[in-house]
Amino acid sequence: MNGKVNMIPDHDVIVSSRVRLARNFSQYPFPSKMNSKQAEEIIGNVKDAILNYYDAEIGNLLFVDIGSLGNIDKQMLVEKHLISPDLAASTKRSAAIISKNENISIMINEEDHLRIQVLFPGMQIDNAWKLCDKIDDILDKKIEFAYSNVYGYLTCCPTNLGTGIRASVMLHLPALVMTGYIRNILEACGKLNIAVRGMYGEHSEAIGNMFQMSNQITLGQTEEEIISSIKNIATQIVEQEKALRNELYRQNTIKFEDKIYRSFGILANARTISTEESLRLISDVRLGIDLGIIKDINTDTLNEIMLSIQPACLQKLLGRPLDSNERDIRRAELIRMKLKKS
């Protein structure tokens, strides 16, 4: 049976919920214009404001100096969604403050001085917003944020102006993709000013039937209205996805099961496999688990595999750089081992 994942709302379709706030110091220029001394002062001020703050909900916080990390470590944080690809690639003085359980990440000197992010599994967008708002309040007591009575929070990019909030959910939508109805969803989201992207946000592809959906408008609505909008749209998509899954399975039971068991068979026996092929096959197996076709492995195991087979996580796990061919071989070994253990 599934482990802790089964306790999470809509975990069979919604992989994760995330809320992110963009904030800037009032007395410093935006990161694109600041100098090294100013960047260092901003990092110091954020550390003073929150690094030693503790309560049970936030837990222990860890300071990460991004500039001191090697490429594999930086990419691993990107793969875990703890920092953005832009922060990993930045040459500016930058840092992150990350909670021990990795639900919280505060990026310092990314596009804005602060990007406060909370990430929870399943449909927990309300909980993510509450915790993000709490962290924002803690920082606001010690830092004067750039704020306009007319426009709200001032941000480097005008698309974040106002609330500075991005609320997003990561959805696993294999049935909508199989039937082609995903095109209707994407068109409808566009008309509702909802952005749909791949696993790693802007410019990333929707690999493994994973789609990240987030608000595009941050001005003219309250944070609660934005959260409610994303939640309502996601709920409708979840209902469509679940109905289609059941209908596809009912109409084509043997072909459906054959596809899922073939994917499982390749994952359990392959000797070399790419990240992209792994994620595509894992999508089939995840669907099989959710429909009760596959019972001897669980979603926790698949989530663990999905993260550990990413290029940087895999190299970090093995403790050395690997070329592409060796990564494919080691990835296949790792998947076989984890599926055998489950």
Side-chain angles (χ1 to χ4, degrees):
M1 61 179 291
N2 281 357
K4 59 186 178 182
V5 170
N6 255 359
M7 306 294 291
I8 300 169
D10 287 327
H11 66 88
D12 50 348
V13 178
I14 298 182
V15 178
S16 62
S17 303
R18 182 178 68 163
V19 174
R20 189 214 69 196
L21 292 173
R23 296 288 185 261
N24 287 282
F25 285 59
S26 63
Q27 70 273 38
Y28 289 97
F30 287 142
S32 57
K33 297 291 185 183
M34 68 187 179
N35 58 39
S36 298
K37 180 174 180 293
Q38 291 167 328
E40 192 67 46
E41 289 173 1
I42 287 168
I43 291 171
N45 288 335
V46 178
K47 287 172 69 175
D48 291 343
I50 199 165
L51 188 58
N52 294 319
Y53 186 93
Y54 178 82
D55 73 13
E57 192 175 19
I58 291 176
N60 294 312
L61 296 171
L62 173 69
F63 177 77
V64 179
D65 183 342
I66 299 297
S68 70
L69 299 180
N71 289 334
I72 290 177
D73 286 317
K74 284 192 279 192
Q75 187 57 34
M76 185 179 68
L77 293 177
V78 173
E79 292 172 356
K80 290 184 171 185
H81 299 280
L82 293 172
I83 66 171
S84 67
D86 286 346
L87 190 69
S90 175
T91 56
K92 294 192 299 278
R93 183 77 179 91
S94 57
I97 293 176
I98 298 171
S99 63
K100 188 176 179 182
N101 63 10
E102 301 186 343
N103 283 342
I104 300 167
S105 171
I106 303 170
M107 289 179 273
I108 309 173
N109 295 335
E110 205 242 27
E111 183 179 60
D112 295 290
H113 294 143
L114 292 178
R115 291 287 177 92
I116 309 162
Q117 171 188 290
V118 174
L119 181 70
F120 281 147
M123 173 48 96
Q124 297 194 74
I125 197 80
D126 290 323
N127 291 335
W129 161 236
K130 286 177 186 173
L131 184 52
C132 204
D133 190 35
K134 178 177 181 175
I135 296 165
D136 185 37
D137 287 345
I138 293 166
L139 291 167
D140 192 39
K141 290 177 182 174
K142 303 242 179 114
I143 297 169
E144 184 179 333
F145 290 136
Y147 185 84
S148 160
N149 289 330
V150 176
Y151 300 111
Y153 289 102
L154 302 179
T155 55
C156 188
C157 178
T159 59
N160 292 316
L161 191 66
T163 58
I165 190 171
R166 293 281 178 205
S168 65
V169 288
M170 185 78 76
L171 300 120
H172 181 227
L173 304 175
L176 284 164
V177 172
M178 281 181 211
T179 56
Y181 290 156
I182 191 67
R183 286 192 293 274
N184 298 338
I185 297 290
L186 297 179
E187 287 176 9
C189 285
K191 290 175 183 174
L192 294 168
N193 291 311
I194 300 295
V196 182
R197 302 182 172 108
M199 285 180 69
Y200 296 101
E202 198 167 6
H203 309 306
S204 65
E205 296 180 10
I207 301 172
N209 300 315
M210 295 286 181
F211 296 84
Q212 188 184 96
M213 190 182 75
S214 63
N215 62 297
Q216 286 184 308
I217 293 177
T218 58
L219 186 65
Q221 291 182 308
T222 66
E223 292 90 341
E224 288 76 13
E225 287 170 338
I226 291 168
I227 294 292
S228 177
S229 172
I230 290 292
K231 187 177 178 180
N232 290 338
I233 294 167
T235 299
Q236 292 179 45
I237 295 174
V238 167
E239 289 173 358
Q240 291 183 49
E241 170 67 23
K242 288 182 178 179
L244 276 175
R245 288 181 182 186
N246 291 325
E247 186 62 19
L248 284 170
Y249 188 30
R250 186 186 68 78
Q251 289 184 357
N252 306 284
T253 303
I254 297 299
K255 285 188 176 179
F256 207 80
E257 291 183 352
D258 183 68
K259 177 180 174 62
I260 288 165
Y261 281 120
R262 281 176 185 271
S263 295
F264 179 76
I266 293 171
L267 286 170
N269 294 285
R271 263 45 186 172
T272 175
I273 194 165
S274 67
T275 306
E276 185 172 346
E277 183 181 9
S278 305
L279 294 176
R280 180 170 55 77
L281 298 173
I282 287 170
S283 170
D284 291 340
V285 175
R286 177 185 288 272
L287 180 60
I289 294 170
D290 293 339
L291 288 172
I293 298 168
I294 292 180
K295 297 182 173 64
D296 51 355
I297 61 171
N298 60 51
T299 308
D300 288 336
T301 300
L302 283 192
N303 288 342
E304 186 183 334
I305 291 174
M306 279 182 63
L307 179 60
S308 59
I309 63 170
Q310 303 291 326
C313 287
L314 186 64
Q315 292 175 88
K316 185 71 179 175
L317 182 69
L318 294 173
R320 60 188 174 88
L322 306 172
D323 63 29
S324 176
N325 287 335
E326 192 175 2
R327 285 203 301 272
D328 290 351
I329 293 169
R330 300 303 178 195
R331 182 177 297 110
E333 285 178 358
L334 185 67
I335 294 172
R336 293 200 308 273
M337 181 187 70
K338 287 185 178 293
L339 289 179
K340 192 174 180 180
K341 279 184 178 177
S342 63

